[in-house]
Amino acid sequence: MNYYPFHIGDFRSGTVNMSRQSRWIYRDLLDVYYDTEKPLNNDFEALCDSIGVESEDERRIVERLLRFKFVKCDEGYRNEVCDRVIAEYQLKAETAKANGKRGGRPRKQSGGDEKPSGFLSGSDPQPTGDPAETGLKTNQEPITNNQITPSNEGVAPTREAVACMAMKSAGMAGVNPSNPKLTALLAAGITVPELVAAAADAVAKGKPFAYALASAEGRRRDAATAPLPNVVQRDAPVETYAQRAARQRMEEVAPMAARKQPGSAFDAAQRFMQGEVIDVAAVPKQLARVV
């Protein structure tokens, strides 16, 4: 990320009890988080080296910040606000990437003779449209959260982005469309409603995004091993009384014909046994072959 939104009021209220040195180190940790787009390193020595911390006083400050401002997990030290901002940025980046593969933002259809929106009226080929709309500059200038939209006009978001937006609507914070576990679950056939149900359960328990993914995977695995319900077989076709009588008469008069597949000669013989009037002259040879 080339930038991240910095809300002065939120930062001041969240660091009011910190010393000037603590606030400085805290900003350094946030810079590393956003620059790498992933949680802070679990290796304390490597983390201190990445922000230039050397003295014992500074190392104690880092330890205190990690304890009160971040949550330790398998991936590293996570921060809910950072995860949310990164997820929104990655969603917008994926949309802009898809836009570029399609040759840029689709032009609006116009019935008049107006010039296409975004270009000067003349021979100047330079676009004048808003970069935030065209997707040409994904991460060059600050955009507040309420200005980020799920997708640009005419471009379908990725399945990971759709899943994250749905889980976010269920109250799940810190969604990440680039999470490899999410990609693997979607590739395995898990559905968005399953992810939403897992997200709602995780929110109710106060659990993070990773817990929701693991829960969805476990539910799918349990469903796959559950016994299948009994399947009721449909009854076989029942021979009617008229069909049975016709078959018995055929077996008495022409047993060989009764065992042959239906055909012109067989049909004629069966109609004859059922009392129908047929043209005898038309099928004597056929009946002779059947009998």
Side-chain angles (χ1 to χ4, degrees), residues 108-119:
K108 294 183 179 180
Q109 299 294 331
S110 176
D113 297 329
E114 297 179 357
K115 295 290 183 180
S117 176
F119 290 89

Side-chain angles (χ1 to χ4, degrees), residues 16-116:
V16 66
N17 61 332
M18 293 185 188
S19 66
R20 186 178 301 275
Q21 189 177 27
S22 297
R23 286 197 296 269
W24 179 16
I25 294 176
Y26 184 40
R27 283 299 303 272
D28 286 341
L29 292 174
L30 293 178
D31 289 345
V32 171
Y33 204 118
Y34 286 117
D35 183 55
T36 59
E37 299 182 27
K38 60 183 180 182
L40 297 178
N41 200 331
N42 263 331
D43 187 338
F44 183 77
E45 297 296 331
L47 179 60
C48 289
D49 183 70
S50 67
I51 59 175
V53 167
E54 295 180 352
S55 69
E56 288 301 320
D57 289 340
E58 291 177 336
R59 292 166 66 89
R60 283 193 293 270
I61 290 174
V62 173
E63 291 177 346
R64 187 164 61 252
L65 288 171
L66 292 177
R67 186 165 64 252
F68 291 107
K69 294 296 184 181
F70 299 86
V71 177
K72 188 175 183 179
C73 58
D74 294 338
E75 298 85 359
Y77 288 92
R78 285 192 172 277
N79 180 282
E80 181 179 349
V81 175
C82 293
D83 285 341
R84 185 183 70 247
V85 173
I86 290 173
E88 291 170 342
Y89 158 70
Q90 290 175 343
L91 175 60
K92 192 171 185 217
E94 287 291 332
T95 301
K97 183 177 179 181
N99 241 0
K101 290 181 179 180
R102 291 174 172 80
R105 185 186 181 207
R107 295 182 179 179
K108 294 183 179 180
Q109 299 294 331
S110 176
D113 297 329
E114 297 179 357
K115 295 290 183 180

